[in-house]
Amino acid sequence: QLQASGGGSVQPGGSLKLSCALSGSTLDYYSIGWARQAPGKEGEAVSCISSSDGGTYYTDSVKGRFTISRDKTKNTVYLQMNSLKLEDTAVYYCATARFCTGVTITTTSFFDHWGQGTLVTVSS
């Protein structure tokens, strides 16, 4: 089971840190991804972190601004979002991923079990 939290409202240029807590298993077994869905748009895979080596991948629109990380002791994955833009406004979801490579974040099709979303609103 996945529990996402940390969403909120922020001005452009601001920062937020999302958390995704995994229960019932450990991060040793699951790669974890973040996806988002903006109003009226299709879901977009944003980032993922590999269970095996902690490798990370990002969609182009967030590279250099978002950082995914994990704390195995807390069984939690984080998404640090900096320099937020208006277009980052969306409901953000975390999910288990079958694997985490550059292919994973080209589509949400490789995400399996989804947590509930957390809303991120960027507005001035």
Side-chain angles (χ1 to χ4, degrees), residues 1-8 16-23 27 32-37 68 74-79 81 90-96 111 113-120:
Q1 187 175 1
L2 296 166
Q3 180 83 24
S5 61
L16 281 174
K17 187 174 184 177
L18 306 183
S19 299
C20 176
L22 175 66
S23 60
L27 295 177
I32 301 293
W34 287 96
R36 64 186 179 185
Q37 184 156 24
I68 191 170
K74 296 182 179 179
N75 228 22
T76 299
V77 171
Y78 303 98
L79 187 68
M81 305 186 296
V91 178
Y92 284 73
Y93 300 87
C94 60
T96 59
F111 291 178
H113 301 100
W114 296 69
Q116 95 291 350
T118 185
L119 177 63
V120 173

Side-chain angles (χ1 to χ4, degrees), residues 103-120:
V103 173
T104 308
I105 46 81
T106 62
T107 173
T108 58
S109 299
F110 299 117
F111 291 178
D112 291 320
H113 301 100
W114 296 69
Q116 95 291 350
T118 185
L119 177 63
V120 173

Side-chain angles (χ1 to χ4, degrees), residues 9 14 17 41 57 65 70 72 78 82 87 101 105 114:
S9 295
K17 187 174 184 177
K41 295 186 178 180
Y57 295 86
R65 300 189 298 121
R70 64 182 179 180
K72 287 187 174 183
Y78 303 98
N82 299 329
E87 53 264 40
T101 68
I105 46 81
W114 296 69

